[in-house]
Amino acid sequence: MRKSILFLLSIVSLLSCSDKRALIDGADDVRYYIGRYFIPDKVYIYPYSTNNCFYFHLDMGDRRYISLGENPAEFKKLAKEYGETGEKVFTLWHPPVMKPYNILQLKVYKKQDGKMIDVSDIVEIEYRSYFKIISSKYTLKDVEYLSRKISELTPHDLKWLPDDFQVVLSKMDAGEYYLVVTLADGKELSVELKKT
């Protein structure tokens, strides 16, 4: 009985001497919602994609990411461009996000009769945006989920595009499609989508 009481007292003591919130619920106090930036080098299709909905991940490949710890000056410059100054401490219930940048354009093409036909005005993209959270100075907590035709993406939308998004081909016929991501340096990342 004494051992049980001593054990319980040591646990209570441990909890009272530490950051209770971080131990219990995983929350952290941070200064940046976006913790790393990277220029995409590859685009992948997630294996749980379906015939009508393809899930994508932009990856940095062999390129380095930019973080406060690794590249403070470059990180702060990008953070400022995305509206973050690091002046305010706020609680984040998940790790800071990774953010691709320098995305100039997204297009979807259908291969038909040996030609590539732009179908971006029919195909939809669904993604989450952190813009409202950051622009509210972290008073808003919920991520905004957006859906629109790929041809309707604005420079603002492309700036805030996350590393994961989905392309919906439900209105398209069976066939061979290609997602093409164009970067600011002119490099194109492409991946094939087969709809049966």
Side-chain angles (χ1 to χ4, degrees):
M1 180 73 168
R2 283 185 175 179
K3 287 182 181 178
S4 297
I5 292 173
L6 287 173
F7 177 73
L8 286 173
L9 284 174
S10 64
I11 295 295
V12 169
S13 172
L14 178 66
L15 287 173
S16 66
C17 294
S18 62
D19 181 1
K20 293 177 198 171
R21 191 183 56 199
L23 249 172
I24 294 169
D25 62 23
D28 280 321
D29 289 333
V30 297
R31 293 182 179 273
Y32 295 96
Y33 194 90
I34 302 171
R36 296 177 177 178
Y37 295 89
F38 68 96
I39 297 174
D41 194 40
K42 296 178 182 172
V43 60
Y44 295 105
I45 299 176
Y46 280 118
Y48 50 82
S49 294
T50 66
N51 194 36
N52 288 324
C53 191
F54 293 85
Y55 295 88
F56 294 95
H57 176 71
L58 294 172
D59 191 76
M60 64 186 162
D62 295 333
R63 297 184 185 196
R64 64 183 175 83
Y65 61 82
I66 297 162
S67 69
L68 185 61
E70 299 288 323
N71 328 76
E74 202 171 349
F75 176 84
K76 287 179 181 178
K77 180 181 173 192
L78 281 166
K80 187 175 181 181
E81 185 179 318
Y82 282 87
E84 296 199 272
T85 61
E87 295 170 355
K88 182 177 180 179
V89 175
F90 61 96
T91 301
L92 197 57
W93 297 86
H94 54 78
V97 299
M98 288 184 66
K99 176 78 187 77
Y101 71 101
N102 278 358
I103 299 171
L104 186 64
Q105 177 177 276
L106 258 68
K107 294 273 189 182
V108 172
Y109 296 95
K110 180 177 184 181
K111 189 171 184 179
Q112 188 172 329
D113 301 325
K115 295 179 182 176
M116 299 299 270
I117 300 165
D118 186 353
V119 292
S120 303
D121 58 337
I122 303 169
V123 176
E124 292 189 3
I125 183 170
E126 296 175 353
Y127 62 99
R128 63 194 187 288
S129 173
Y130 311 117
F131 170 72
K132 287 190 176 179
I133 293 172
I134 293 171
S135 64
S136 76
K137 298 297 179 200
Y138 319 107
T139 58
L140 295 177
K141 303 293 182 203
D142 295 328
V143 171
E144 181 179 27
Y145 290 90
L146 301 170
S147 176
R148 58 183 38 99
K149 290 181 175 52
I150 289 182
S151 62
E152 296 172 352
L153 289 171
T154 65
H156 174 83
D157 296 328
L158 292 167
K159 176 180 178 177
W160 287 95
L161 192 71
D163 58 343
D164 296 310
F165 56 91
Q166 56 192 29
V167 172
V168 182
L169 296 178
S170 58
K171 297 177 183 173
M172 305 304 296
D173 299 328
E176 198 174 316
Y177 296 86
Y178 291 86
L179 170 73
V180 178
V181 180
T182 306
L183 304 178
D185 65 3
K187 181 177 180 178
E188 290 185 344
L189 310 175
S190 178
V191 64
E192 181 182 357
L193 322 171
K194 286 196 175 181
K195 182 173 180 189
T196 53

PDB file of all heavy atoms in Angstrom, residues 118-124 148-151 168-169 171-172:
ATOM      1  N   ASP A 118      -5.681  20.160 -72.629  1.00  0.00           N
ATOM      2  CA  ASP A 118      -5.834  20.778 -71.314  1.00  0.00           C
ATOM      3  C   ASP A 118      -7.293  20.627 -70.850  1.00  0.00           C
ATOM      4  O   ASP A 118      -8.209  21.119 -71.506  1.00  0.00           O
ATOM      5  CB  ASP A 118      -5.444  22.256 -71.384  1.00  0.00           C
ATOM      6  CG  ASP A 118      -5.434  22.934 -70.022  1.00  0.00           C
ATOM      7  OD1 ASP A 118      -5.859  22.313 -69.028  1.00  0.00           O
ATOM      8  OD2 ASP A 118      -4.985  24.099 -69.958  1.00  0.00           O
ATOM      9  N   VAL A 119      -7.486  19.931 -69.727  1.00  0.00           N
ATOM     10  CA  VAL A 119      -8.832  19.741 -69.171  1.00  0.00           C
ATOM     11  C   VAL A 119      -8.952  20.387 -67.784  1.00  0.00           C
ATOM     12  O   VAL A 119      -9.823  20.037 -66.994  1.00  0.00           O
ATOM     13  CB  VAL A 119      -9.209  18.238 -69.116  1.00  0.00           C
ATOM     14  CG1 VAL A 119      -9.381  17.661 -70.514  1.00  0.00           C
ATOM     15  CG2 VAL A 119      -8.187  17.441 -68.321  1.00  0.00           C
ATOM     16  N   SER A 120      -8.093  21.344 -67.519  1.00  0.00           N
ATOM     17  CA  SER A 120      -8.052  21.996 -66.204  1.00  0.00           C
ATOM     18  C   SER A 120      -9.325  22.757 -65.883  1.00  0.00           C
ATOM     19  O   SER A 120      -9.593  23.037 -64.716  1.00  0.00           O
ATOM     20  CB  SER A 120      -6.858  22.944 -66.129  1.00  0.00           C
ATOM     21  OG  SER A 120      -5.661  22.258 -66.382  1.00  0.00           O
ATOM     22  N   ASP A 121     -10.110  23.106 -66.909  1.00  0.00           N
ATOM     23  CA  ASP A 121     -11.358  23.835 -66.664  1.00  0.00           C
ATOM     24  C   ASP A 121     -12.502  22.901 -66.277  1.00  0.00           C
ATOM     25  O   ASP A 121     -13.600  23.359 -65.952  1.00  0.00           O
ATOM     26  CB  ASP A 121     -11.737  24.680 -67.878  1.00  0.00           C
ATOM     27  CG  ASP A 121     -11.907  23.859 -69.141  1.00  0.00           C
ATOM     28  OD1 ASP A 121     -11.341  22.748 -69.214  1.00  0.00           O
ATOM     29  OD2 ASP A 121     -12.604  24.322 -70.064  1.00  0.00           O
ATOM     30  N   ILE A 122     -12.255  21.586 -66.280  1.00  0.00           N
ATOM     31  CA  ILE A 122     -13.272  20.603 -65.887  1.00  0.00           C
ATOM     32  C   ILE A 122     -12.883  19.912 -64.581  1.00  0.00           C
ATOM     33  O   ILE A 122     -13.716  19.625 -63.740  1.00  0.00           O
ATOM     34  CB  ILE A 122     -13.457  19.534 -66.993  1.00  0.00           C
ATOM     35  CG1 ILE A 122     -13.821  20.207 -68.313  1.00  0.00           C
ATOM     36  CG2 ILE A 122     -14.510  18.513 -66.597  1.00  0.00           C
ATOM     37  CD1 ILE A 122     -13.760  19.280 -69.509  1.00  0.00           C
ATOM     38  N   VAL A 123     -11.593  19.661 -64.410  1.00  0.00           N
ATOM     39  CA  VAL A 123     -11.080  18.898 -63.267  1.00  0.00           C
ATOM     40  C   VAL A 123     -11.017  19.796 -62.027  1.00  0.00           C
ATOM     41  O   VAL A 123     -10.582  20.943 -62.097  1.00  0.00           O
ATOM     42  CB  VAL A 123      -9.685  18.325 -63.591  1.00  0.00           C
ATOM     43  CG1 VAL A 123      -9.096  17.613 -62.394  1.00  0.00           C
ATOM     44  CG2 VAL A 123      -9.773  17.395 -64.786  1.00  0.00           C
ATOM     45  N   GLU A 124     -11.440  19.236 -60.882  1.00  0.00           N
ATOM     46  CA  GLU A 124     -11.435  19.987 -59.630  1.00  0.00           C
ATOM     47  C   GLU A 124     -10.276  19.576 -58.732  1.00  0.00           C
ATOM     48  O   GLU A 124      -9.795  18.448 -58.789  1.00  0.00           O
ATOM     49  CB  GLU A 124     -12.753  19.790 -58.888  1.00  0.00           C
ATOM     50  CG  GLU A 124     -13.921  20.428 -59.611  1.00  0.00           C
ATOM     51  CD  GLU A 124     -15.189  20.424 -58.792  1.00  0.00           C
ATOM     52  OE1 GLU A 124     -15.172  19.969 -57.630  1.00  0.00           O
ATOM     53  OE2 GLU A 124     -16.201  20.889 -59.335  1.00  0.00           O
ATOM     54  N   ARG A 148     -12.179  23.899 -56.031  1.00  0.00           N
ATOM     55  CA  ARG A 148     -12.442  24.703 -57.228  1.00  0.00           C
ATOM     56  C   ARG A 148     -11.850  23.999 -58.442  1.00  0.00           C
ATOM     57  O   ARG A 148     -11.077  23.056 -58.300  1.00  0.00           O
ATOM     58  CB  ARG A 148     -11.888  26.112 -57.078  1.00  0.00           C
ATOM     59  CG  ARG A 148     -10.398  26.189 -56.812  1.00  0.00           C
ATOM     60  CD  ARG A 148      -9.894  27.610 -56.594  1.00  0.00           C
ATOM     61  NE  ARG A 148     -10.773  28.469 -55.855  1.00  0.00           N
ATOM     62  CZ  ARG A 148     -10.672  28.754 -54.561  1.00  0.00           C
ATOM     63  NH1 ARG A 148      -9.687  28.233 -53.876  1.00  0.00           N
ATOM     64  NH2 ARG A 148     -11.512  29.541 -53.968  1.00  0.00           N
ATOM     65  N   LYS A 149     -12.205  24.487 -59.594  1.00  0.00           N
ATOM     66  CA  LYS A 149     -11.608  23.958 -60.823  1.00  0.00           C
ATOM     67  C   LYS A 149     -10.139  24.379 -60.876  1.00  0.00           C
ATOM     68  O   LYS A 149      -9.789  25.477 -60.444  1.00  0.00           O
ATOM     69  CB  LYS A 149     -12.365  24.473 -62.042  1.00  0.00           C
ATOM     70  CG  LYS A 149     -13.753  23.871 -62.168  1.00  0.00           C
ATOM     71  CD  LYS A 149     -14.455  24.392 -63.389  1.00  0.00           C
ATOM     72  CE  LYS A 149     -15.785  23.722 -63.610  1.00  0.00           C
ATOM     73  NZ  LYS A 149     -16.689  23.705 -62.502  1.00  0.00           N
ATOM     74  N   ILE A 150      -9.299  23.521 -61.397  1.00  0.00           N
ATOM     75  CA  ILE A 150      -7.872  23.820 -61.451  1.00  0.00           C
ATOM     76  C   ILE A 150      -7.612  25.098 -62.243  1.00  0.00           C
ATOM     77  O   ILE A 150      -6.757  25.896 -61.877  1.00  0.00           O
ATOM     78  CB  ILE A 150      -7.080  22.617 -62.003  1.00  0.00           C
ATOM     79  CG1 ILE A 150      -7.083  21.513 -60.938  1.00  0.00           C
ATOM     80  CG2 ILE A 150      -5.665  23.003 -62.389  1.00  0.00           C
ATOM     81  CD1 ILE A 150      -6.313  20.285 -61.275  1.00  0.00           C
ATOM     82  N   SER A 151      -8.379  25.326 -63.301  1.00  0.00           N
ATOM     83  CA  SER A 151      -8.190  26.533 -64.110  1.00  0.00           C
ATOM     84  C   SER A 151      -8.530  27.807 -63.341  1.00  0.00           C
ATOM     85  O   SER A 151      -8.131  28.899 -63.730  1.00  0.00           O
ATOM     86  CB  SER A 151      -9.043  26.459 -65.377  1.00  0.00           C
ATOM     87  OG  SER A 151     -10.417  26.399 -65.030  1.00  0.00           O
ATOM     88  N   VAL A 168      -9.888  15.682 -58.422  1.00  0.00           N
ATOM     89  CA  VAL A 168     -11.112  14.909 -58.607  1.00  0.00           C
ATOM     90  C   VAL A 168     -11.422  14.789 -60.098  1.00  0.00           C
ATOM     91  O   VAL A 168     -11.611  15.790 -60.782  1.00  0.00           O
ATOM     92  CB  VAL A 168     -12.288  15.573 -57.860  1.00  0.00           C
ATOM     93  CG1 VAL A 168     -13.551  14.742 -58.006  1.00  0.00           C
ATOM     94  CG2 VAL A 168     -11.943  15.778 -56.389  1.00  0.00           C
ATOM     95  N   LEU A 169     -11.469  13.547 -60.585  1.00  0.00           N
ATOM     96  CA  LEU A 169     -11.739  13.275 -61.999  1.00  0.00           C
ATOM     97  C   LEU A 169     -13.122  12.670 -62.213  1.00  0.00           C
ATOM     98  O   LEU A 169     -13.372  12.055 -63.240  1.00  0.00           O
ATOM     99  CB  LEU A 169     -10.684  12.315 -62.569  1.00  0.00           C
ATOM    100  CG  LEU A 169      -9.243  12.799 -62.617  1.00  0.00           C
ATOM    101  CD1 LEU A 169      -8.337  11.709 -63.153  1.00  0.00           C
ATOM    102  CD2 LEU A 169      -9.118  14.049 -63.455  1.00  0.00           C
ATOM    103  N   LYS A 171     -15.904  13.794 -63.149  1.00  0.00           N
ATOM    104  CA  LYS A 171     -16.631  14.255 -64.332  1.00  0.00           C
ATOM    105  C   LYS A 171     -15.934  13.881 -65.637  1.00  0.00           C
ATOM    106  O   LYS A 171     -16.382  14.248 -66.714  1.00  0.00           O
ATOM    107  CB  LYS A 171     -16.813  15.771 -64.276  1.00  0.00           C
ATOM    108  CG  LYS A 171     -17.641  16.234 -63.100  1.00  0.00           C
ATOM    109  CD  LYS A 171     -17.733  17.733 -63.040  1.00  0.00           C
ATOM    110  CE  LYS A 171     -18.511  18.166 -61.811  1.00  0.00           C
ATOM    111  NZ  LYS A 171     -18.491  19.601 -61.615  1.00  0.00           N
ATOM    112  N   MET A 172     -14.833  13.153 -65.528  1.00  0.00           N
ATOM    113  CA  MET A 172     -14.027  12.838 -66.705  1.00  0.00           C
ATOM    114  C   MET A 172     -14.261  11.405 -67.179  1.00  0.00           C
ATOM    115  O   MET A 172     -14.548  10.517 -66.389  1.00  0.00           O
ATOM    116  CB  MET A 172     -12.538  13.026 -66.377  1.00  0.00           C
ATOM    117  CG  MET A 172     -12.191  14.408 -65.831  1.00  0.00           C
ATOM    118  SD  MET A 172     -12.683  15.761 -66.898  1.00  0.00           S
ATOM    119  CE  MET A 172     -11.660  15.451 -68.310  1.00  0.00           C
TER     120      MET A 172
END
